[in-house]
Short mmCIF file of all heavy atoms in Angstrom, two decimals:
data_model
loop_
_atom_site.label_atom_id
_atom_site.label_comp_id
_atom_site.label_asym_id
_atom_site.label_seq_id
_atom_site.Cartn_x
_atom_site.Cartn_y
_atom_site.Cartn_z
N ALA B 4 2.56 -8.42 23.52
CA ALA B 4 2.01 -8.80 24.78
C ALA B 4 3.10 -9.34 25.68
O ALA B 4 4.07 -9.86 25.23
CB ALA B 4 0.90 -9.71 24.64
N PRO B 5 2.94 -9.28 27.01
CA PRO B 5 3.93 -9.78 27.91
C PRO B 5 4.26 -11.20 27.60
O PRO B 5 3.35 -12.12 27.48
CB PRO B 5 3.34 -9.64 29.31
CG PRO B 5 2.34 -8.55 29.14
CD PRO B 5 1.85 -8.64 27.71
N GLY B 6 5.61 -11.63 27.49
CA GLY B 6 5.96 -12.93 27.24
C GLY B 6 5.78 -13.42 25.81
O GLY B 6 6.05 -14.56 25.48
N LYS B 7 5.38 -12.54 24.94
CA LYS B 7 5.17 -12.97 23.52
C LYS B 7 6.04 -12.06 22.64
O LYS B 7 6.51 -11.02 22.94
CB LYS B 7 3.69 -12.83 23.13
CG LYS B 7 2.77 -13.71 23.90
CD LYS B 7 1.35 -13.68 23.36
CE LYS B 7 0.44 -14.62 24.07
NZ LYS B 7 -0.91 -14.62 23.49
N GLU B 8 6.21 -12.58 21.38
CA GLU B 8 6.98 -11.84 20.41
C GLU B 8 6.19 -10.74 19.79
O GLU B 8 4.95 -10.78 19.84
CB GLU B 8 7.44 -12.81 19.30
CG GLU B 8 8.48 -13.84 19.75
CD GLU B 8 9.01 -14.65 18.54
OE1 GLU B 8 8.50 -14.46 17.46
OE2 GLU B 8 10.02 -15.43 18.75
N ARG B 9 6.83 -9.71 19.27
CA ARG B 9 6.20 -8.62 18.64
C ARG B 9 5.44 -9.21 17.36
O ARG B 9 6.15 -9.91 16.60
CB ARG B 9 7.11 -7.55 18.25
CG ARG B 9 6.52 -6.26 17.86
CD ARG B 9 7.55 -5.09 17.83
NE ARG B 9 8.13 -4.91 19.07
CZ ARG B 9 8.91 -3.82 19.44
NH1 ARG B 9 9.14 -2.97 18.43
NH2 ARG B 9 9.33 -3.64 20.56
N GLU B 10 4.20 -8.77 17.18
CA GLU B 10 3.46 -9.27 16.00
C GLU B 10 2.89 -8.25 15.18
O GLU B 10 2.59 -7.08 15.69
CB GLU B 10 2.36 -10.26 16.49
CG GLU B 10 1.25 -9.58 17.25
CD GLU B 10 0.11 -10.54 17.54
OE1 GLU B 10 0.13 -11.68 17.09
OE2 GLU B 10 -0.88 -10.10 18.26
N PHE B 11 2.75 -8.49 13.93
CA PHE B 11 2.18 -7.50 12.94
C PHE B 11 0.71 -7.38 13.17
O PHE B 11 -0.03 -8.38 13.50
CB PHE B 11 2.42 -8.08 11.53
CG PHE B 11 1.66 -7.30 10.44
CD1 PHE B 11 2.17 -6.10 10.02
CD2 PHE B 11 0.49 -7.81 9.94
CE1 PHE B 11 1.49 -5.39 9.00
CE2 PHE B 11 -0.21 -7.12 8.91
CZ PHE B 11 0.31 -5.94 8.49
N VAL B 12 0.20 -6.11 13.08
CA VAL B 12 -1.19 -5.82 13.18
C VAL B 12 -1.74 -5.33 11.90
O VAL B 12 -2.74 -5.87 11.37
CB VAL B 12 -1.48 -4.81 14.33
CG1 VAL B 12 -2.91 -4.40 14.39
CG2 VAL B 12 -0.99 -5.35 15.72
N ALA B 13 -1.16 -4.26 11.33
CA ALA B 13 -1.74 -3.67 10.13
C ALA B 13 -0.64 -2.79 9.48
O ALA B 13 0.27 -2.37 10.18
CB ALA B 13 -2.93 -2.79 10.39
N ALA B 14 -0.71 -2.53 8.25
CA ALA B 14 0.19 -1.66 7.48
C ALA B 14 -0.54 -0.97 6.38
O ALA B 14 -1.54 -1.43 5.80
CB ALA B 14 1.34 -2.45 6.94
N ILE B 15 -0.01 0.23 6.00
CA ILE B 15 -0.54 1.00 4.96
C ILE B 15 0.58 1.58 4.14
O ILE B 15 1.64 2.01 4.68
CB ILE B 15 -1.40 2.09 5.60
CG1 ILE B 15 -2.16 2.85 4.50
CG2 ILE B 15 -0.68 3.12 6.46
CD1 ILE B 15 -3.31 3.77 4.96
N SER B 16 0.40 1.64 2.84
CA SER B 16 1.49 2.11 1.91
C SER B 16 1.63 3.59 2.06
O SER B 16 0.73 4.28 2.58
CB SER B 16 1.14 1.74 0.53
OG SER B 16 -0.05 2.25 0.09
N GLY B 17 2.60 4.18 1.54
CA GLY B 17 2.88 5.62 1.55
C GLY B 17 1.75 6.40 0.84
O GLY B 17 1.28 7.42 1.36
N SER B 18 1.26 5.82 -0.25
CA SER B 18 0.17 6.47 -0.98
C SER B 18 -1.17 6.36 -0.20
O SER B 18 -2.12 7.12 -0.55
CB SER B 18 0.03 5.93 -2.32
OG SER B 18 -0.40 4.56 -2.29
N GLY B 19 -1.28 5.38 0.67
CA GLY B 19 -2.54 5.11 1.31
C GLY B 19 -3.40 4.12 0.57
O GLY B 19 -4.51 3.69 1.03
N GLY B 20 -2.98 3.75 -0.63
CA GLY B 20 -3.77 2.92 -1.52
C GLY B 20 -3.73 1.42 -1.20
O GLY B 20 -4.51 0.69 -1.72
N SER B 21 -2.80 0.97 -0.40
CA SER B 21 -2.67 -0.35 -0.06
C SER B 21 -2.64 -0.60 1.44
O SER B 21 -1.91 0.12 2.11
CB SER B 21 -1.44 -1.01 -0.73
OG SER B 21 -1.25 -2.33 -0.39
N THR B 22 -3.43 -1.50 1.87
CA THR B 22 -3.50 -1.86 3.30
C THR B 22 -3.47 -3.31 3.47
O THR B 22 -3.90 -4.06 2.62
CB THR B 22 -4.70 -1.21 4.05
OG1 THR B 22 -5.91 -1.73 3.45
CG2 THR B 22 -4.69 0.30 4.01
N TYR B 23 -3.02 -3.72 4.67
CA TYR B 23 -3.01 -5.23 4.93
C TYR B 23 -3.12 -5.38 6.43
O TYR B 23 -2.65 -4.60 7.26
CB TYR B 23 -1.61 -5.80 4.53
CG TYR B 23 -1.62 -7.30 4.52
CD1 TYR B 23 -2.28 -8.01 3.50
CD2 TYR B 23 -0.97 -8.01 5.49
CE1 TYR B 23 -2.26 -9.36 3.49
CE2 TYR B 23 -0.93 -9.41 5.49
CZ TYR B 23 -1.60 -10.08 4.48
OH TYR B 23 -1.60 -11.46 4.46
N TYR B 24 -3.94 -6.44 6.82
CA TYR B 24 -4.21 -6.70 8.24
C TYR B 24 -3.90 -8.16 8.57
O TYR B 24 -3.96 -9.08 7.86
CB TYR B 24 -5.70 -6.46 8.48
CG TYR B 24 -6.13 -5.05 8.21
CD1 TYR B 24 -6.61 -4.70 6.99
CD2 TYR B 24 -6.16 -4.10 9.25
CE1 TYR B 24 -6.99 -3.38 6.81
CE2 TYR B 24 -6.51 -2.82 9.02
CZ TYR B 24 -7.00 -2.47 7.75
OH TYR B 24 -7.34 -1.14 7.60
N ALA B 25 -3.54 -8.30 9.92
CA ALA B 25 -3.42 -9.68 10.48
C ALA B 25 -4.79 -10.15 10.52
O ALA B 25 -5.81 -9.46 10.74
CB ALA B 25 -2.74 -9.56 11.87
N ASP B 26 -4.95 -11.46 10.33
CA ASP B 26 -6.22 -12.19 10.45
C ASP B 26 -6.90 -11.94 11.70
O ASP B 26 -8.18 -11.83 11.80
CB ASP B 26 -6.02 -13.71 10.20
CG ASP B 26 -5.66 -14.03 8.76
OD1 ASP B 26 -5.88 -13.16 7.89
OD2 ASP B 26 -5.21 -15.14 8.57
N SER B 27 -6.19 -11.76 12.81
CA SER B 27 -6.77 -11.62 14.14
C SER B 27 -7.44 -10.28 14.33
O SER B 27 -8.29 -10.14 15.25
CB SER B 27 -5.69 -11.81 15.20
OG SER B 27 -4.66 -10.83 15.03
N VAL B 28 -7.19 -9.33 13.48
CA VAL B 28 -7.86 -7.99 13.62
C VAL B 28 -8.68 -7.64 12.43
O VAL B 28 -9.41 -6.55 12.55
CB VAL B 28 -6.77 -6.93 13.93
CG1 VAL B 28 -5.90 -7.32 15.08
CG2 VAL B 28 -5.93 -6.62 12.65
N LYS B 29 -8.60 -8.41 11.43
CA LYS B 29 -9.38 -8.03 10.16
C LYS B 29 -10.85 -7.97 10.53
O LYS B 29 -11.51 -8.70 11.21
CB LYS B 29 -9.15 -9.17 9.15
CG LYS B 29 -9.38 -8.73 7.70
CD LYS B 29 -8.90 -9.82 6.76
CE LYS B 29 -7.45 -10.05 6.81
NZ LYS B 29 -6.99 -11.10 5.87
N GLY B 30 -11.42 -6.84 9.99
CA GLY B 30 -12.82 -6.61 10.23
C GLY B 30 -13.13 -5.79 11.47
O GLY B 30 -14.25 -5.33 11.71
N ARG B 31 -12.11 -5.70 12.33
CA ARG B 31 -12.27 -4.90 13.63
C ARG B 31 -11.42 -3.66 13.68
O ARG B 31 -11.80 -2.61 14.23
CB ARG B 31 -11.97 -5.77 14.80
CG ARG B 31 -12.79 -6.99 14.94
CD ARG B 31 -12.51 -7.74 16.26
NE ARG B 31 -11.15 -8.21 16.35
CZ ARG B 31 -10.26 -7.92 17.31
NH1 ARG B 31 -10.69 -7.10 18.39
NH2 ARG B 31 -9.07 -8.41 17.40
N PHE B 32 -10.25 -3.79 13.09
CA PHE B 32 -9.26 -2.65 13.08
C PHE B 32 -9.24 -2.01 11.74
O PHE B 32 -9.29 -2.69 10.66
CB PHE B 32 -7.89 -3.09 13.49
CG PHE B 32 -7.70 -3.52 14.94
CD1 PHE B 32 -8.81 -3.74 15.76
CD2 PHE B 32 -6.46 -3.81 15.44
CE1 PHE B 32 -8.70 -4.17 17.09
CE2 PHE B 32 -6.30 -4.20 16.72
CZ PHE B 32 -7.36 -4.41 17.57
N THR B 33 -8.92 -0.69 11.64
CA THR B 33 -8.74 -0.02 10.47
C THR B 33 -7.56 0.92 10.50
O THR B 33 -7.50 1.72 11.44
CB THR B 33 -10.01 0.89 10.08
OG1 THR B 33 -11.20 0.04 10.03
CG2 THR B 33 -9.83 1.58 8.72
N ILE B 34 -6.65 0.75 9.63
CA ILE B 34 -5.47 1.58 9.54
C ILE B 34 -5.76 2.71 8.47
O ILE B 34 -6.33 2.43 7.41
CB ILE B 34 -4.21 0.81 9.16
CG1 ILE B 34 -3.00 1.75 9.32
CG2 ILE B 34 -4.24 0.19 7.84
CD1 ILE B 34 -1.62 0.94 9.31
N SER B 35 -5.29 3.94 8.75
CA SER B 35 -5.48 4.99 7.78
C SER B 35 -4.31 5.98 8.08
O SER B 35 -3.62 5.90 9.05
CB SER B 35 -6.79 5.69 7.98
OG SER B 35 -6.93 6.29 9.33
N ARG B 36 -4.14 6.92 7.14
CA ARG B 36 -3.05 7.94 7.24
C ARG B 36 -3.58 9.19 6.70
O ARG B 36 -4.34 9.22 5.75
CB ARG B 36 -1.81 7.42 6.56
CG ARG B 36 -1.88 7.32 5.09
CD ARG B 36 -0.55 6.61 4.62
NE ARG B 36 0.63 7.40 4.87
CZ ARG B 36 1.82 6.86 4.91
NH1 ARG B 36 2.04 5.53 4.75
NH2 ARG B 36 2.87 7.60 5.16
N ASP B 37 -3.04 10.29 7.24
CA ASP B 37 -3.29 11.65 6.76
C ASP B 37 -1.90 12.21 6.43
O ASP B 37 -1.14 12.63 7.36
CB ASP B 37 -4.02 12.50 7.76
CG ASP B 37 -4.39 13.77 7.27
OD1 ASP B 37 -3.77 14.36 6.38
OD2 ASP B 37 -5.27 14.49 7.85
N ASN B 38 -1.48 12.17 5.19
CA ASN B 38 -0.19 12.57 4.79
C ASN B 38 -0.02 14.15 4.96
O ASN B 38 1.13 14.54 5.10
CB ASN B 38 0.10 12.22 3.34
CG ASN B 38 0.35 10.69 3.23
OD1 ASN B 38 0.62 10.04 4.17
ND2 ASN B 38 0.26 10.19 1.96
N ALA B 39 -1.05 14.86 4.97
CA ALA B 39 -0.93 16.33 5.29
C ALA B 39 -0.62 16.60 6.70
O ALA B 39 0.04 17.62 6.97
CB ALA B 39 -2.25 17.01 4.84
N LYS B 40 -0.92 15.64 7.55
CA LYS B 40 -0.64 15.78 9.02
C LYS B 40 0.42 14.94 9.49
O LYS B 40 0.77 14.89 10.69
CB LYS B 40 -1.94 15.50 9.81
CG LYS B 40 -3.06 16.49 9.58
CD LYS B 40 -4.27 16.14 10.43
CE LYS B 40 -5.38 17.15 10.24
NZ LYS B 40 -6.57 16.88 11.11
N ASN B 41 1.13 14.21 8.57
CA ASN B 41 2.19 13.25 8.91
C ASN B 41 1.80 12.33 10.05
O ASN B 41 2.58 12.04 10.96
CB ASN B 41 3.42 14.02 9.35
CG ASN B 41 4.10 14.72 8.18
OD1 ASN B 41 3.64 14.65 7.05
ND2 ASN B 41 5.20 15.40 8.43
N THR B 42 0.57 11.79 9.96
CA THR B 42 0.06 10.97 11.00
C THR B 42 -0.64 9.67 10.45
O THR B 42 -1.30 9.76 9.43
CB THR B 42 -0.99 11.72 11.85
OG1 THR B 42 -0.31 12.89 12.40
CG2 THR B 42 -1.48 10.88 12.99
N VAL B 43 -0.43 8.58 11.14
CA VAL B 43 -1.11 7.31 10.84
C VAL B 43 -1.93 7.00 12.01
O VAL B 43 -1.53 7.26 13.18
CB VAL B 43 -0.09 6.18 10.46
CG1 VAL B 43 0.82 5.95 11.66
CG2 VAL B 43 -0.78 4.96 9.93
N TYR B 44 -3.05 6.36 11.68
CA TYR B 44 -4.03 6.05 12.75
C TYR B 44 -4.27 4.50 12.75
O TYR B 44 -4.25 3.86 11.71
CB TYR B 44 -5.38 6.77 12.52
CG TYR B 44 -5.20 8.29 12.39
CD1 TYR B 44 -5.11 8.87 11.15
CD2 TYR B 44 -5.07 9.04 13.56
CE1 TYR B 44 -4.96 10.23 11.08
CE2 TYR B 44 -4.96 10.43 13.44
CZ TYR B 44 -4.87 11.04 12.23
OH TYR B 44 -4.76 12.36 12.08
N LEU B 45 -4.74 4.03 13.93
CA LEU B 45 -5.31 2.69 14.03
C LEU B 45 -6.56 2.71 14.75
O LEU B 45 -6.56 3.01 16.00
CB LEU B 45 -4.27 1.74 14.66
CG LEU B 45 -4.73 0.27 14.67
CD1 LEU B 45 -4.76 -0.31 13.29
CD2 LEU B 45 -3.84 -0.56 15.60
N ARG B 46 -7.67 2.61 14.08
CA ARG B 46 -8.98 2.53 14.79
C ARG B 46 -9.24 1.08 15.13
O ARG B 46 -9.29 0.22 14.37
CB ARG B 46 -10.11 3.07 13.82
CG ARG B 46 -11.46 3.02 14.35
CD ARG B 46 -11.67 4.00 15.50
NE ARG B 46 -12.96 3.96 16.08
CZ ARG B 46 -13.44 4.77 17.06
NH1 ARG B 46 -12.60 5.55 17.67
NH2 ARG B 46 -14.60 4.70 17.56
N MET B 47 -9.52 0.90 16.46
CA MET B 47 -9.71 -0.41 16.93
C MET B 47 -11.14 -0.53 17.52
O MET B 47 -11.46 0.15 18.54
CB MET B 47 -8.68 -0.74 18.02
CG MET B 47 -7.29 -0.54 17.58
SD MET B 47 -6.03 -1.08 18.75
CE MET B 47 -6.29 0.20 20.05
N ASN B 48 -11.99 -1.32 16.87
CA ASN B 48 -13.36 -1.57 17.39
C ASN B 48 -13.45 -2.98 17.86
O ASN B 48 -12.71 -3.92 17.45
CB ASN B 48 -14.33 -1.33 16.25
CG ASN B 48 -14.42 0.12 15.76
OD1 ASN B 48 -14.17 1.00 16.55
ND2 ASN B 48 -14.65 0.36 14.55
N GLY B 49 -14.49 -3.27 18.65
CA GLY B 49 -14.75 -4.61 19.11
C GLY B 49 -13.56 -5.22 19.85
O GLY B 49 -13.23 -6.39 19.60
#
């Protein structure tokens, strides 16, 4: 955000089996990946 440092939001392992979220987005955001499409997603609700 303007005037702030870059902060972690979410991460997902290469296999997709491990994910981790910042407390500020937990329960609202979902990270996922499609390795066949070489794409990672961040679904943001609320």
Side-chain angles (χ1 to χ4, degrees):
K7 295 188 176 181
E8 292 188 353
R9 192 167 297 190
E10 66 173 359
F11 171 78
V12 175
I15 186 167
S16 62
S18 67
S21 179
T22 57
Y23 192 77
Y24 297 91
D26 288 343
S27 58
V28 307
K29 202 172 295 183
R31 298 188 298 124
F32 291 11
T33 302
I34 189 170
S35 62
R36 65 191 296 157
D37 185 337
N38 286 343
K40 295 183 178 179
N41 288 3
T42 302
V43 63
Y44 305 97
L45 185 68
R46 178 68 179 180
M47 305 184 292
N48 295 329

